[in-house]
Amino acid sequence: MTAVAFDYTAPTTLDAALRALHAPGRSVAPLAGGQSLVPLLTRREVRPDAVVDLNGVPGLAGVDIGPDRVRVGAMTRLRDLERHGGLAAALPVLVSAAASVAHPHIRTRATLGGSLCHAAPAAELPAVAVALGADVVLRSVRGVRSVPAAGFATGPGTTVRAPDEVVTEVVFPRTGGLAHEFSELCTRGGTGYPVAGVCLGLRVGGGLIREACVVVSGCGPLPVRLPGVEAALVGRAVAGSHPGLVAAVVAETAQAPGRGPEAGGGPGPEAGPGHVPEPALEDQEYRAEVAGVLLLRALAARAGREGR
C-alpha cells in the first residue's frame, strides 16, 4: 500500500516552515525523523493535505548544556543523544533512555521532538521528560510558548500541540538533587515495542531514601507519576527488599487519571498524526505489575551505584 497524494514542501528556514504549517482549512503534518509518520502514511492511517519536511531547517538540532538546564533541539537524533559525552555526564538517564529505543537504525533517524509528539503510552522519552520536569517549547506564526512535559501529552497519540505549531526544543532542568535510573521491558528483547517502563529519581542520605520521584509508562494512556509510591519509599533503605511495592504500583496506576474503560482511548480534537492505541484494561493491569518489578530493578541498580 502507498500513501495518498499530498503536497510536499521542504523549507530551509524556520519562518518558512511555520508559514507552511499555518494553513487554515488544510491538514498539514510536520515530518521530523519519519519513524512514526511514514508508516502511518503508507498504511493510509493518516491522509494529510500536505507534509512539511523539517529536516532542512537549521537550528532545530543540538545539545546546549548549561549550569542549570540542558536544552535539546527537537530535531536531535536519538543516536546523537546516546553518543553525547557531555550529556552522559549532565543527564545520564536521558542518554540511557535514548539508547533503549528500538535499535540503532531507528535511533539514527528518530528525533526527540518526534517521540514526544507521537505520544505512545509506553515510549521511553516522554516518561523521562515527565520525571525530569522538562518543558516543551513550541513555536508558530502566532508566537512561542512553553508547556511542561507532564501536560504535553493528552492521550495516546494526542498532545497540546496545535496543528500549526512545531516543537523547537526541550528544556531539562539540572537542579533537584535526584539521581535517576531508567528501566523497561520490551517485546523481542531490547529491540521490540516497550511493554512498560519506569523512570526513578532518588535522593539518598545515610543509606536511606530521602526523596523519590517515580514515573511509569505503558500502564495507561499517559506516563504517570505515582506520589503514593514515592511517599512509601521515603525513609526506606535504598538496598532494602521493599515488600508490597509491586502491589502499591498496581493499585496506584489503577487510579491514575484517564485510566479505565470509561476513559476511552481515541484521539481528541488536537490529535497527533495518527491514532496510537491505548492498552486494553486487562493489559494495563499486567503492565502495571511489570512496572512494579521494573521499579524494584531500578532500586537495586541505584543501591549498587550508591554502594560504590
Side-chain angles (χ1 to χ4, degrees):
M1 185 179 291
T2 59
V4 298
F6 54 81
D7 295 333
Y8 171 84
T9 181
T12 55
T13 68
L14 180 57
D15 286 344
L18 297 181
R19 290 195 299 271
L21 287 169
H22 186 68
R26 303 189 77 206
S27 171
V28 183
L31 173 66
Q35 301 306 290
S36 300
L37 179 61
V38 170
L40 292 170
L41 288 169
T42 56
R43 294 197 299 264
R44 299 194 177 190
E45 294 181 26
V46 296
R47 303 183 179 212
D49 298 315
V51 170
V52 178
D53 190 338
L54 302 176
N55 285 275
V57 178
L60 292 182
V63 178
D64 179 24
I65 301 175
D68 299 321
R69 59 185 57 84
V70 174
R71 298 179 179 273
V72 182
M75 288 292 291
T76 306
R77 312 292 172 175
L78 303 189
R79 191 70 164 157
D80 292 333
L81 294 181
E82 177 185 359
R83 293 175 167 181
H84 198 288
L87 193 60
L91 288 177
V93 71
L94 185 58
V95 173
S96 174
S100 300
V101 176
H103 52 78
H105 295 87
I106 296 293
R107 298 195 295 274
T108 298
R109 291 296 305 169
T111 65
L112 174 60
S115 177
L116 297 184
C117 289
H118 188 56
E124 298 88 349
L125 293 167
V128 171
V130 171
L132 292 178
D135 290 312
V136 182
V137 180
L138 301 110
R139 185 182 292 269
S140 71
V141 295
R142 295 171 283 109
V144 183
R145 65 178 178 136
S146 181
V147 178
F152 183 68
T154 57
T158 68
T159 72
V160 299
R161 185 188 73 84
D164 65 340
E165 286 182 312
V166 62
V167 176
T168 57
E169 65 177 357
V170 184
V171 182
F172 298 88
R174 295 185 66 181
T175 57
L178 300 183
H180 290 82
E181 298 284 344
F182 178 78
S183 181
E184 72 172 355
L185 175 69
C186 293
T187 61
R188 300 194 307 275
T191 62
Y193 291 100
V195 174
V198 168
C199 187
L200 168 69
L202 291 181
R203 182 170 60 85
V204 178
L208 299 179
I209 299 171
R210 306 299 184 182
E211 184 181 356
C213 172
V214 178
V215 174
V216 298
S217 58
C219 305
L222 300 167
V224 60
R225 187 168 176 176
L226 304 180
V229 172
E230 294 169 0
L233 285 172
V234 173
R236 292 190 183 190
V238 66
S241 60
H242 305 290
L245 193 60
V246 173
V249 170
V250 173
E252 190 164 2
T253 55
Q255 303 302 318
R259 189 179 184 277
E262 74 284 350
E270 295 179 329
H275 175 41
V276 178
E278 177 182 345
L281 185 58
E282 61 274 14
D283 194 25
Q284 292 177 15
E285 294 169 351
Y286 160 71
R287 290 171 186 242
E289 187 168 350
V290 169
V293 175
L294 292 172
L295 178 56
L296 292 176
R297 292 182 182 178
L299 284 162
R302 176 47 47 187
R305 298 185 202 281
E306 293 290 334
R308 292 176 185 173

